[in-house]
Structure formats: structure tokens, C-alpha cells
Amino acid sequence: MAFRRRAKSHPLFSQEFLIHNHADIGFCLVLSVLIALMFEVTAKTAFLFILPQYNVSVPTADGELIQYHYGLKDAVTILFYFFIAIILHAVVQEYILDKINRRLHLSKIKHSKFNESGQMVAFHLTSVIWCLYVVVTEGYISNPRSLWENYPHVYLPFQVKFFYLCQLAYWLHALPELYFQKVRKEEIPRQLRCITLYLVHIAGAYLFNLTRLGLILLLLQYLAELFLHVSRLIYFTDESNEKVFNYWAVVFVVTKLFTLTLYILVIGFGLPRVENQALDPERGNLFSFLFNNILFRMSVLLLVCLFQASVMWRFIHFQLRRWRVYWNEQSSRKRATGTNRQTRPFRRDWGYYENGVVKVENGISPRTRKVKFP
């Protein structure tokens, strides 16, 4: 086995066999594609799986520049990196998260949440660094007008297209991982909703040639998600560290404001000024002409605003409920502290008690006084 040592063997091709050996099966498939590169007969087919396709030479002032557009062959490349994502998921789980879980001794529910946040931290951290490198080197941050100038952005640099293919592969791999990781039935609808939203947004930016805007939005989204899952990991290690979620709340609000501003700036004000939007299947421009229609642009902008408003409403509702619970706990602690200060401790007189009357040690009884027992 490539990744795990197991004492118990399962029947071949059974569900348990597939669950416990899915990473090893994916590793064998990836290895077979890499071996195919060594032979001239199969090398051309293997390159379809490994490298992005549809490259074209675009003439520039400095010479020719190799760029790419999308097509049906991208599905083959996504499939290859789909198995790569499964292998990396198993490596992070086996060699990092499982070892930490053995030391923390978490409950079953916290164990599954810790694994989820651990995987998300590894993915979001990698994606934030990668995405930041791409937007800086391509000049999308230094020149915001490039987000809508010369739209549609049919031709993509290698690193932009490769980034989108890897993102689609990762979120597609998250669907079978729900089965492989035996996620609880209560958690499946929430995770399915999250995976679907990511796939729709990433695929939409890729197919509608809004890749530049999509990169900036993914950077903002992944940054907020990174703070959230890091805060969850810190909280699971020590539940007294609830204040770390305050940092995530600040980052979340700031990123959502920037996200909404970018949507309005690009779709509402930038794209209406672009004139060269026409259906051109040969260049890979299949959907960008839709943004010529003001009704379509306004519909997209309205859907985005409604979605962001619903996200902010759930966030505000969650924070209010969290603060309400916090202040209730603080008020109950203050009441308990005040009650303890008002009650005086019971002081016993020296001696012993006989029929409710205090007797001193030498036998002489002081003035008779009844003792009220609690």
C-alpha cells in the first residue's frame, strides 16, 4: 500500500475496500499516466492529461506569446488532477491530521470538524498564496481597469488556466470525499451546498471569460475562509480561545464589502463600455456576448447582490446569537458572584452541642442559644 498500513483486509471491490484504498487506486492511475510519458506511442495521449490544451500563438510587440483558451479537452486534464487532489487529501489526512487527532483526544463530532477544517486550511493557504502570486505577476491588482478592458478575455496565460483547472478538479474531488470520509448525514447538505456554489462560481468565471475578476474574488473568499478554519482549529485545541473568531469576523466583513464593490464596478460600470462582445466559437468565445444585453447584466448583478445580502444576514444573525449567549453567561456569573458575597459563612462556637445548646469544653455552659442548622 502506498499510504496506509492496515491490519484488517477487506473483500476485493467491496465498499470498505474502496473506502480504505481509494487513495492507492488513484495513485496507481496517476502513475500509469506518468509511465505512459516514457513511450513515444502513448506520450501524446499522456500529455492530454497533464498539460492544458488549446494553446495558440498571439503576436505581441516583443514577439509571439503562447496563450490558451478553453475547450472540451479540458475535462481530461481536470480528471487527471481530480485524482491528484484525492491523493493529496489522503496524504494530509494520514500524515498530519490523524497524528494531531491522536494527541488531542477529541470527541467524534469535533474529530470530524477538526478534519474538515484541517483540510480546508491546507487548501485555502495554498490557494491564497498561488492566487496572490498570479494576480500580482499578471498585474491585475496594480491595474484594476484590466479586469474589464479588452473583454472578453478569451486567451489566458498558462498559470491562469492551470489555476482554474486545478480549482475545478479540487472541488469536484470533494464530492466523492463525502463518501470516502463517511461524513455524517446531517453535514452532507451543508457541504454539498458549499461545493456546488464554488463549482458554479469558478466554472461561470471560466466559461464567461471573467477569469480576471474571478481570481480577485477567489482571493478574497479564500482569505476569509482561511481565517475561519484557522480559528476553528485553535478553538478545538483550547475552547477558551473564543476571541479568535473576532479576527475572522472583521476579515469576513471587509472581504464581503470588497467583493460587492468589485461586482458593481466590473459588471455594472466596466462591461457596458466594452463593445467587442460577439459570438465566436472558433476563439472559444461562447457566452461572453450575453453581457451585451443590459437585462442580462442587471439580472446577474441582482442575483449577486441578493446572494451577498443573504450571506451577510446569516452572518449578522449568527454574531447576534453568539453575543447574546456570551452576555447571558457573563450576567449569570455576576449574579453568582454577588450571591456568594452576600451569604456569610456559618461560624461554629468552640465546644460541642447537646440538645441544640452549646457546651464549652470545661463543662460550663454559656447563655443558652438555639442553633439553627442549615
mmCIF file of all heavy atoms in Angstrom, residues 24 28 42 45 59 62 65 72 108 111 119 142 183 212 219 243 269 298 310 320 350 373:
data_model
loop_
_atom_site.group_PDB
_atom_site.id
_atom_site.type_symbol
_atom_site.label_atom_id
_atom_site.label_comp_id
_atom_site.label_asym_id
_atom_site.label_seq_id
_atom_site.Cartn_x
_atom_site.Cartn_y
_atom_site.Cartn_z
ATOM 1 N N ASP A 24 -4.933 4.841 -2.843
ATOM 2 C CA ASP A 24 -3.990 3.954 -3.519
ATOM 3 C C ASP A 24 -4.421 3.666 -4.953
ATOM 4 O O ASP A 24 -3.584 3.592 -5.864
ATOM 5 C CB ASP A 24 -3.871 2.638 -2.747
ATOM 6 C CG ASP A 24 -3.378 2.867 -1.330
ATOM 7 O OD1 ASP A 24 -2.581 3.793 -1.149
ATOM 8 O OD2 ASP A 24 -3.795 2.133 -0.423
ATOM 9 N N CYS A 28 -2.315 4.673 -8.381
ATOM 10 C CA CYS A 28 -1.980 3.758 -9.476
ATOM 11 C C CYS A 28 -2.385 4.338 -10.828
ATOM 12 O O CYS A 28 -1.657 4.204 -11.819
ATOM 13 C CB CYS A 28 -2.669 2.416 -9.252
ATOM 14 S SG CYS A 28 -2.046 1.494 -7.830
ATOM 15 N N THR A 42 2.517 6.357 -26.580
ATOM 16 C CA THR A 42 1.490 6.843 -25.645
ATOM 17 C C THR A 42 1.780 8.225 -25.072
ATOM 18 O O THR A 42 0.964 8.752 -24.311
ATOM 19 C CB THR A 42 1.358 5.846 -24.478
ATOM 20 O OG1 THR A 42 2.640 5.692 -23.847
ATOM 21 C CG2 THR A 42 0.863 4.501 -24.975
ATOM 22 N N THR A 45 -0.852 10.998 -25.927
ATOM 23 C CA THR A 45 -2.097 10.855 -25.161
ATOM 24 C C THR A 45 -1.903 11.243 -23.710
ATOM 25 O O THR A 45 -2.783 11.847 -23.090
ATOM 26 C CB THR A 45 -2.606 9.404 -25.254
ATOM 27 O OG1 THR A 45 -2.746 9.036 -26.627
ATOM 28 C CG2 THR A 45 -3.952 9.252 -24.545
ATOM 29 N N PRO A 59 0.578 37.176 -31.435
ATOM 30 C CA PRO A 59 1.689 38.109 -31.734
ATOM 31 C C PRO A 59 1.649 39.330 -30.824
ATOM 32 O O PRO A 59 0.600 39.906 -30.559
ATOM 33 C CB PRO A 59 1.427 38.495 -33.199
ATOM 34 C CG PRO A 59 -0.032 38.250 -33.408
ATOM 35 C CD PRO A 59 -0.413 37.106 -32.510
ATOM 36 N N ASP A 62 6.883 42.273 -28.511
ATOM 37 C CA ASP A 62 8.157 41.620 -28.209
ATOM 38 C C ASP A 62 8.307 40.275 -28.912
ATOM 39 O O ASP A 62 9.333 39.608 -28.738
ATOM 40 C CB ASP A 62 8.291 41.417 -26.697
ATOM 41 C CG ASP A 62 8.255 42.728 -25.940
ATOM 42 O OD1 ASP A 62 8.675 43.742 -26.530
ATOM 43 O OD2 ASP A 62 7.788 42.738 -24.775
ATOM 44 N N LEU A 65 3.546 35.180 -28.119
ATOM 45 C CA LEU A 65 3.247 34.788 -26.742
ATOM 46 C C LEU A 65 2.275 33.613 -26.779
ATOM 47 O O LEU A 65 1.240 33.665 -27.455
ATOM 48 C CB LEU A 65 2.636 35.963 -25.974
ATOM 49 C CG LEU A 65 2.321 35.736 -24.497
ATOM 50 C CD1 LEU A 65 3.612 35.492 -23.712
ATOM 51 C CD2 LEU A 65 1.573 36.930 -23.912
ATOM 52 N N LEU A 72 -13.335 21.322 -24.833
ATOM 53 C CA LEU A 72 -13.797 20.055 -24.257
ATOM 54 C C LEU A 72 -12.650 19.211 -23.714
ATOM 55 O O LEU A 72 -12.847 18.409 -22.793
ATOM 56 C CB LEU A 72 -14.577 19.263 -25.308
ATOM 57 C CG LEU A 72 -15.911 19.875 -25.762
ATOM 58 C CD1 LEU A 72 -16.537 19.036 -26.858
ATOM 59 C CD2 LEU A 72 -16.870 20.004 -24.582
ATOM 60 N N LYS A 108 -16.214 12.574 18.835
ATOM 61 C CA LYS A 108 -16.441 12.148 17.455
ATOM 62 C C LYS A 108 -16.871 13.319 16.581
ATOM 63 O O LYS A 108 -16.422 13.453 15.436
ATOM 64 C CB LYS A 108 -17.509 11.050 17.430
ATOM 65 C CG LYS A 108 -17.657 10.391 16.081
ATOM 66 C CD LYS A 108 -18.617 9.224 16.139
ATOM 67 C CE LYS A 108 -18.717 8.543 14.773
ATOM 68 N NZ LYS A 108 -19.665 7.392 14.820
ATOM 69 N N HIS A 111 -14.001 15.650 16.150
ATOM 70 C CA HIS A 111 -12.998 14.986 15.324
ATOM 71 C C HIS A 111 -13.277 15.223 13.842
ATOM 72 O O HIS A 111 -12.370 15.568 13.064
ATOM 73 C CB HIS A 111 -13.001 13.487 15.630
ATOM 74 C CG HIS A 111 -12.039 12.696 14.811
ATOM 75 N ND1 HIS A 111 -10.705 12.586 15.125
ATOM 76 C CD2 HIS A 111 -12.212 11.973 13.668
ATOM 77 C CE1 HIS A 111 -10.090 11.835 14.225
ATOM 78 N NE2 HIS A 111 -10.991 11.449 13.326
ATOM 79 N N GLN A 119 -8.270 20.120 6.505
ATOM 80 C CA GLN A 119 -8.168 20.021 5.047
ATOM 81 C C GLN A 119 -8.378 21.382 4.384
ATOM 82 O O GLN A 119 -7.683 21.744 3.423
ATOM 83 C CB GLN A 119 -9.212 19.026 4.519
ATOM 84 C CG GLN A 119 -8.972 17.582 4.921
ATOM 85 C CD GLN A 119 -7.821 16.956 4.164
ATOM 86 O OE1 GLN A 119 -7.329 17.505 3.180
ATOM 87 N NE2 GLN A 119 -7.379 15.798 4.619
ATOM 88 N N SER A 142 -2.415 45.982 -9.701
ATOM 89 C CA SER A 142 -1.843 47.301 -9.990
ATOM 90 C C SER A 142 -2.636 48.060 -11.050
ATOM 91 O O SER A 142 -2.618 49.293 -11.078
ATOM 92 C CB SER A 142 -0.389 47.145 -10.444
ATOM 93 O OG SER A 142 -0.321 46.327 -11.610
ATOM 94 N N VAL A 183 -18.824 11.127 5.947
ATOM 95 C CA VAL A 183 -19.357 12.339 6.562
ATOM 96 C C VAL A 183 -20.757 12.057 7.098
ATOM 97 O O VAL A 183 -21.546 11.332 6.483
ATOM 98 C CB VAL A 183 -19.389 13.487 5.532
ATOM 99 C CG1 VAL A 183 -19.992 14.747 6.137
ATOM 100 C CG2 VAL A 183 -17.982 13.765 5.029
ATOM 101 N N ARG A 212 -10.285 37.126 -14.864
ATOM 102 C CA ARG A 212 -9.543 38.123 -14.078
ATOM 103 C C ARG A 212 -10.337 38.550 -12.849
ATOM 104 O O ARG A 212 -9.794 38.621 -11.745
ATOM 105 C CB ARG A 212 -9.224 39.333 -14.962
ATOM 106 C CG ARG A 212 -8.355 38.989 -16.164
ATOM 107 C CD ARG A 212 -8.044 40.206 -17.016
ATOM 108 N NE ARG A 212 -7.250 39.839 -18.191
ATOM 109 C CZ ARG A 212 -6.805 40.700 -19.082
ATOM 110 N NH1 ARG A 212 -7.064 41.997 -18.945
ATOM 111 N NH2 ARG A 212 -6.099 40.281 -20.122
ATOM 112 N N LEU A 219 -9.535 35.125 -4.366
ATOM 113 C CA LEU A 219 -8.536 35.525 -3.371
ATOM 114 C C LEU A 219 -9.208 36.063 -2.117
ATOM 115 O O LEU A 219 -8.826 35.705 -0.989
ATOM 116 C CB LEU A 219 -7.597 36.563 -3.978
ATOM 117 C CG LEU A 219 -6.520 37.136 -3.064
ATOM 118 C CD1 LEU A 219 -5.584 36.043 -2.581
ATOM 119 C CD2 LEU A 219 -5.737 38.235 -3.767
ATOM 120 N N LYS A 243 -12.085 34.167 21.379
ATOM 121 C CA LYS A 243 -11.885 35.507 20.824
ATOM 122 C C LYS A 243 -11.224 35.493 19.447
ATOM 123 O O LYS A 243 -11.234 36.510 18.753
ATOM 124 C CB LYS A 243 -11.046 36.354 21.792
ATOM 125 C CG LYS A 243 -11.769 36.665 23.092
ATOM 126 C CD LYS A 243 -10.935 37.580 23.973
ATOM 127 C CE LYS A 243 -11.687 37.933 25.255
ATOM 128 N NZ LYS A 243 -10.896 38.834 26.129
ATOM 129 N N PHE A 269 -20.439 48.881 -14.287
ATOM 130 C CA PHE A 269 -19.850 50.054 -14.923
ATOM 131 C C PHE A 269 -18.788 49.719 -15.969
ATOM 132 O O PHE A 269 -18.618 50.462 -16.935
ATOM 133 C CB PHE A 269 -19.228 50.976 -13.868
ATOM 134 C CG PHE A 269 -20.233 51.549 -12.901
ATOM 135 C CD1 PHE A 269 -20.430 50.971 -11.659
ATOM 136 C CD2 PHE A 269 -20.990 52.647 -13.245
ATOM 137 C CE1 PHE A 269 -21.352 51.489 -10.763
ATOM 138 C CE2 PHE A 269 -21.919 53.175 -12.366
ATOM 139 C CZ PHE A 269 -22.108 52.593 -11.116
ATOM 140 N N MET A 298 -27.926 43.203 -15.623
ATOM 141 C CA MET A 298 -28.633 43.601 -14.411
ATOM 142 C C MET A 298 -29.160 42.390 -13.638
ATOM 143 O O MET A 298 -29.206 42.396 -12.404
ATOM 144 C CB MET A 298 -29.783 44.545 -14.760
ATOM 145 C CG MET A 298 -29.330 45.910 -15.265
ATOM 146 S SD MET A 298 -28.314 46.831 -14.057
ATOM 147 C CE MET A 298 -26.662 46.602 -14.731
ATOM 148 N N SER A 310 -27.852 37.800 1.523
ATOM 149 C CA SER A 310 -28.256 36.647 2.336
ATOM 150 C C SER A 310 -27.100 36.125 3.178
ATOM 151 O O SER A 310 -27.282 35.731 4.337
ATOM 152 C CB SER A 310 -28.787 35.532 1.428
ATOM 153 O OG SER A 310 -27.761 35.030 0.588
ATOM 154 N N LEU A 320 -25.107 37.961 16.384
ATOM 155 C CA LEU A 320 -26.036 38.410 17.425
ATOM 156 C C LEU A 320 -26.362 37.282 18.390
ATOM 157 O O LEU A 320 -26.429 37.487 19.612
ATOM 158 C CB LEU A 320 -27.315 38.955 16.790
ATOM 159 C CG LEU A 320 -27.183 40.295 16.037
ATOM 160 C CD1 LEU A 320 -28.502 40.659 15.387
ATOM 161 C CD2 LEU A 320 -26.738 41.404 16.988
ATOM 162 N N TRP A 350 -16.746 27.456 69.838
ATOM 163 C CA TRP A 350 -15.894 26.405 70.401
ATOM 164 C C TRP A 350 -16.698 25.601 71.419
ATOM 165 O O TRP A 350 -17.322 26.118 72.307
ATOM 166 C CB TRP A 350 -14.668 26.996 71.080
ATOM 167 C CG TRP A 350 -13.755 27.660 70.093
ATOM 168 C CD1 TRP A 350 -13.634 28.977 69.870
ATOM 169 C CD2 TRP A 350 -12.867 26.999 69.202
ATOM 170 N NE1 TRP A 350 -12.712 29.229 68.894
ATOM 171 C CE2 TRP A 350 -12.213 28.007 68.447
ATOM 172 C CE3 TRP A 350 -12.542 25.657 68.960
ATOM 173 C CZ2 TRP A 350 -11.278 27.708 67.488
ATOM 174 C CZ3 TRP A 350 -11.596 25.397 68.009
ATOM 175 C CH2 TRP A 350 -10.984 26.407 67.274
ATOM 176 N N PHE A 373 -29.726 24.853 62.260
ATOM 177 C CA PHE A 373 -28.926 24.129 61.293
ATOM 178 C C PHE A 373 -29.436 24.384 59.871
ATOM 179 O O PHE A 373 -30.639 24.484 59.658
ATOM 180 C CB PHE A 373 -28.963 22.620 61.586
ATOM 181 C CG PHE A 373 -28.231 22.254 62.821
ATOM 182 C CD1 PHE A 373 -28.876 22.136 64.037
ATOM 183 C CD2 PHE A 373 -26.867 22.062 62.778
ATOM 184 C CE1 PHE A 373 -28.196 21.809 65.190
ATOM 185 C CE2 PHE A 373 -26.176 21.697 63.921
ATOM 186 C CZ PHE A 373 -26.842 21.597 65.127
#
